[in-house]
């Protein structure tokens, strides 16, 4: 039986988001602490739980068919040219930034920079025509400027808490990263490709729902058309009669989350009342 093998991070910043997304896509993932291969036979999928740094190697050698990885890790890989991003997944957002002991100016020319991401950093320095000494450290890079290993660091920043805790200041972001769904550029066998397409459609509906809210309100009949035009609905809004109130109607619509707040004032001005906003779990278009 054809199976699609998906590599995800076993533990770390991407694990929870990856498992959460795949569960919402219908995969039954029963994690036990040391289990590294998780079969999901009803979906013809097998999950491989591995170190994120090794994921490009698994794709390269066809051990995994697709993977969820941080964009920064993909760009750092020597196999980057053989991999493609299928979709940005909107979680594990962070950036690769240059930082130094607080209060310094950014003067990279002839400086030393400690990092766990030498490839991305060197590409940046080359593109900016900057000469600097890149010192590769495998982790806990934040210590480097404090103990005199380097002038600057280039590391992942998410909340900024690690930098602050070590008296460092973020100076310049060189790469925005987030979790991405990736595969090798070479085509998959037809059976695997079909399983992938089904999974991609499910991911689309889960992520689409995250940015969509369901909004319900009562409003005067004469405002209904104007209100409908305010709501960036996926389909035309639903208008329903109200019991014992012939002057008002109920209006229901799915709308983009980022539009909700900006439209609420306008809706009120048009006489809308009892405005309810609720989350949507999945959207099939
Ligand atoms: C990253 C990075 C920083 C920290 C930044 O480490 O190396 O140390 O996260 O996050 P913050 O801005 O929210 O404090 P990660 O947790 O990925 O572990 P690793 O570097 O050991 O892989
Ligand atoms: Zn890592």
């Amino acid at each position: 039986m054809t199976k699609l093998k998906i590599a995800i991070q076993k533990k770390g910043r991407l694990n929870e988001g990856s498992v959460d997304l795949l569960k919402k896509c219908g995969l039954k993932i029963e994690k036990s602490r040391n289990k590294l291969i998780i079969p999901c036979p009803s979906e013809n999928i097998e999950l491989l739980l591995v170190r994120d740094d090794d994921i490009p190697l698994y794709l390269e050698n066809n051990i995994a068919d697709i993977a969820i990885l941080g964009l920064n890790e993909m760009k750092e890989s020597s196999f980057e040219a053989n991999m493609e991003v299928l979709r940005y997944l909107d979680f594990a957002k962070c950036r690769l930034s240059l930082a130094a002991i607080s209060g310094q100016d950014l003067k990279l020319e002839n400086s030393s920079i400690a990092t766990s991401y030498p490839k991305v950093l060197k590409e940046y320095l080359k593109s900016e025509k900057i000469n600097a000494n890149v010192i590769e450290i495998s982790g806990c890079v934040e210590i480097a400027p404090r103990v005199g290993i380097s002038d600057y660091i280039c590391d992942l920043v998410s909340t900024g808490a690690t930098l602050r805790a070590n008296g460092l200041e973020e100076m310049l972001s060189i790469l925005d990263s987030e979790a991405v769904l990736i595969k090798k550029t070479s085509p998959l066998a037809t059976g695997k490709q079909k399983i992938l397409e089904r999974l991609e459609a499910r991911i689309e509906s889960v992520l689409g729902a995250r940015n969509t809210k369901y909004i319900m309100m009562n409003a005067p009949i004469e405002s209904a058309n104007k209100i409908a035009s305010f709501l960036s609905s996926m389909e035309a809004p639903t208008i329903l009669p109200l019991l014992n109130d012939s002057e008002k109607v109920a209006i229901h619509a799915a709308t983009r989350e980022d539009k909700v707040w900006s439209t609420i004032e306008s809706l009120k001005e048009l006489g809308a009342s009892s405005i309810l906003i609720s989350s949507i779990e999945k959207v099939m278009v």
Side-chain angles (χ1 to χ4, degrees):
M1 191 66 182
T2 302
K3 275 181 295 185
L4 185 75
K5 294 185 186 172
I6 310 177
I8 63 169
Q9 194 188 39
K10 181 178 188 291
K11 58 178 180 189
R13 64 173 61 236
L14 282 142
N15 172 269
E16 204 181 319
S18 306
V19 170
D20 180 58
L21 175 63
L22 294 173
K23 277 186 173 170
K24 286 191 173 135
C25 290
L27 271 67
K28 289 186 185 60
I29 305 173
E30 282 171 25
K31 279 212 292 178
S32 72
R33 212 159 60 89
N34 295 315
K35 212 169 160 187
L36 301 178
I37 300 180
I38 301 182
C40 307
S42 59
E43 309 299 329
N44 296 327
I45 282 174
E46 191 167 272
L47 282 188
L48 308 177
L49 272 67
V50 293
R51 289 253 332 233
D52 60 349
D53 320 47
D54 296 330
I55 284 178
L57 184 77
Y58 288 121
L59 287 180
E60 179 66 19
N61 293 315
N62 303 314
I63 292 161
D65 301 305
I66 61 164
I68 296 177
L69 190 63
L71 182 67
N72 62 299
E73 289 280 359
M74 174 182 158
K75 294 218 171 273
E76 192 59 33
S77 166
S78 51
F79 304 121
E80 185 199 351
N82 299 344
M83 292 185 280
E84 61 178 337
V85 172
L86 297 173
R87 202 192 195 290
Y88 285 74
L89 296 175
D90 206 27
F91 70 89
K93 293 201 172 179
C94 58
R95 52 207 181 269
L96 193 61
S97 288
L98 289 154
I101 292 174
S102 303
Q104 284 184 25
D105 291 337
L106 188 66
K107 286 187 198 138
L108 294 174
E109 188 65 27
N110 295 325
S111 70
S112 56
I113 311 169
T115 188
S116 310
Y117 300 93
K119 176 169 172 274
V120 176
L121 175 59
K122 282 176 186 168
E123 282 166 6
Y124 169 77
L125 294 172
K126 194 174 171 201
S127 73
E128 297 294 314
K129 300 187 174 60
I130 296 167
N131 278 309
N133 180 24
V134 174
I135 301 165
E136 192 175 342
I137 297 186
S138 54
C140 300
V141 173
E142 291 85 359
I143 203 170
R146 304 227 65 101
V147 296
I149 293 175
S150 68
D151 304 311
Y152 300 95
I153 64 163
C154 179
D155 199 13
L156 285 186
V157 181
S158 172
T159 61
T162 311
L163 289 183
R164 280 194 296 279
N166 291 287
L168 302 178
E169 188 182 345
E170 185 177 2
M171 308 186 94
L172 179 70
S173 160
I174 65 166
L175 176 74
D176 284 323
S177 182
E178 66 184 88
V180 284
L181 185 73
I182 59 172
K183 78 180 254 300
K184 220 172 144 179
T185 39
S186 49
L188 293 175
T190 316
K192 286 179 188 268
Q193 180 63 26
K194 280 208 172 123
I195 304 170
L196 172 59
E197 280 165 19
R198 198 182 55 197
L199 179 69
E200 282 185 288
R202 291 184 186 184
I203 289 176
E204 213 48 58
S205 82
V206 171
L207 295 185
R210 272 189 200 167
N211 298 323
T212 309
K213 294 281 169 195
Y214 198 68
I215 183 164
M216 294 164 270
M217 74 205 80
N218 294 341
I221 290 179
E222 63 269 22
S223 303
N225 276 328
K226 268 195 171 164
I227 287 177
S229 69
F230 268 112
L231 300 166
S232 61
S233 187
M234 291 183 301
E235 302 268 356
T238 307
I239 310 274
L240 301 162
L242 291 176
L243 189 65
N244 299 331
D245 190 341
S246 56
E247 289 175 4
K248 283 187 170 181
V249 287
I251 302 174
H252 292 192
T255 191
R256 290 230 331 256
E257 183 168 24
D258 54 356
K259 297 263 178 185
V260 166
W261 289 113
S262 62
T263 51
I264 264 179
E265 282 84 19
S266 313
L267 295 176
K268 281 191 168 168
E269 275 167 25
L270 289 164
S273 58
S274 305
I275 302 171
L276 295 180
I277 296 161
S278 70
S279 299
I280 295 177
E281 190 157 333
K282 293 184 177 68
V283 176
M284 308 292 179
V285 280

